[in-house]
Amino acid sequence: MDLEIIAPGVTVWHNSIEYEDAFIPEMWDHRYRVERGSEWRDDGRQDPEKRKYYENRNLPMRVSHTPNGDDWDKDDPYDAFMLDLQDVYLECLVEYGNLYPCLFNDLQWQEAHRLLNYVSGAKMGAHSDNTPGTIKALRSEYTDPVAPTRLLVCITFFSNYVEHDNPGPYEYTGGEVYLPYLDIEYAPQRGDTMMYPANYLYAHGVETVLAGNRIANLTVFNQGDFRRLPYSAPAPLFPSHRGAWVGGNMFVE
């Protein structure tokens, strides 16, 4: 991996993980089908009944990238890939912490992996990842208890950025990451792993994807004890019967 420091606190590791071109869309298709019980459509026009409330208004689609069932399966290629990615994140985390050692005083746990897919037309306005929002449960709404615990955002990009208007099947155009308070715009390339703080100074957004699919894996490193976070039954964010598990919410040694 090759480390690039874009700005204080904003780092990118290039070539952080290797994979075959076709593997990523296959993994996305699989994770989407398992979670939503519906086939993924390449044109992005998914069954509206399968869309979540946070996927409206041209926002990205999201699915869990945690293992199937109660534990990971080393023989499942998607679970194995997630475990390889977790090793990358811990390696990057140690290197990041060596740059900014006070991080280790605050860090306690890590959020579950999830895949994001920005289809053509998808975008996201500037926002902070530790600003609490409203979560809609089956019969209620409540304030997100996780966001205020977030310290460090970590995201790996799986599609290759191109500047021309006719991207190939594993490419995309548009979709640059921007951090307005740092005057940064960055076009993520295949295999980039990016880390930056979750607070308001590092507010960030994603420009409109003009064509192609921009697929990435997101996790966040946090402080506090996720087992004590409040949630609203009957749709808890963190099912208490699971506790911590690899690829899901877990403590960081």
Side-chain angles (χ1 to χ4, degrees):
M1 295 189 294
D2 304 312
L3 172 62
E4 178 183 2
I5 301 175
I6 297 178
V10 183
T11 55
V12 176
W13 286 264
H14 303 290
N15 305 308
S16 64
I17 193 164
E18 296 182 356
Y19 47 85
E20 298 293 330
D21 283 340
F23 178 78
I24 297 301
E26 290 171 358
M27 179 176 66
W28 170 266
D29 290 349
H30 173 77
R31 295 297 200 205
Y32 183 87
R33 184 172 62 254
V34 169
E35 179 177 300
R36 305 291 175 94
S38 177
E39 295 296 323
W40 172 256
R41 290 181 49 166
D42 290 335
D43 61 7
R45 301 186 180 208
Q46 310 310 319
D47 181 350
E49 294 185 359
K50 300 296 183 180
R51 295 180 74 96
K52 305 293 180 67
Y53 70 93
Y54 49 76
E55 294 171 339
N56 297 322
R57 303 183 302 280
N58 294 323
L59 294 174
M61 306 290 289
R62 299 177 181 230
V63 295
S64 171
H65 194 199
T66 58
N68 301 327
D70 289 336
D71 206 349
W72 57 272
D73 178 359
K74 66 180 181 180
D75 295 323
D76 182 309
Y78 311 117
D79 289 359
F81 182 78
M82 184 279 299
L83 292 170
D84 288 343
L85 197 59
Q86 178 64 17
D87 287 341
V88 168
Y89 290 162
L90 295 179
E91 184 177 346
C92 293
L93 182 67
V94 170
E95 193 166 357
Y96 189 96
N98 288 335
L99 293 171
Y100 310 106
C102 286
L103 170 69
F104 294 130
N105 297 327
D106 297 337
L107 178 66
Q108 273 96 34
W109 66 283
Q110 178 184 349
E111 288 184 39
H113 292 234
R114 54 265 205 197
L115 296 171
L116 281 66
N117 192 342
Y118 285 78
V119 300
S120 180
K123 61 183 178 180
M124 186 172 288
H127 63 283
S128 163
D129 281 340
N130 73 354
T131 300
T134 299
I135 292 179
K136 297 181 180 180
L138 291 179
R139 297 180 179 85
S140 64
E141 295 183 0
Y142 59 100
T143 301
D144 178 7
V146 180
T149 74
R150 290 175 176 152
L151 294 174
L152 185 66
V153 179
C154 181
I155 186 166
T156 300
F157 302 93
F158 297 137
S159 311
N160 209 39
Y161 172 87
V162 294
E163 294 184 354
H164 56 78
D165 296 332
N166 188 28
Y170 311 113
E171 300 174 329
Y172 70 98
T173 185
E176 298 89 350
V177 177
Y178 63 93
L179 291 86
Y181 303 146
L182 300 180
D183 195 26
I184 289 174
E185 183 172 278
Y186 182 74
Q189 298 291 343
R190 165 190 172 130
D192 282 354
T193 290
M194 190 174 193
M195 283 187 174
Y196 50 85
N199 67 57
Y200 68 94
L201 289 177
Y202 292 83
H204 54 281
V206 177
E207 299 286 5
T208 303
V209 172
L210 303 177
N213 288 67
R214 180 185 181 275
I215 302 176
N217 186 86
L218 172 68
T219 188
V220 187
F221 293 95
N222 308 54
Q223 61 186 350
D225 185 346
F226 66 86
R227 297 171 304 179
R228 299 180 181 276
L229 291 173
Y231 57 81
S232 177
L237 283 176
F238 307 116
S240 58
H241 70 281
R242 286 294 299 273
W245 76 98
V246 176
N249 304 300
M250 58 186 172
F251 292 107
V252 178
E253 294 293 334

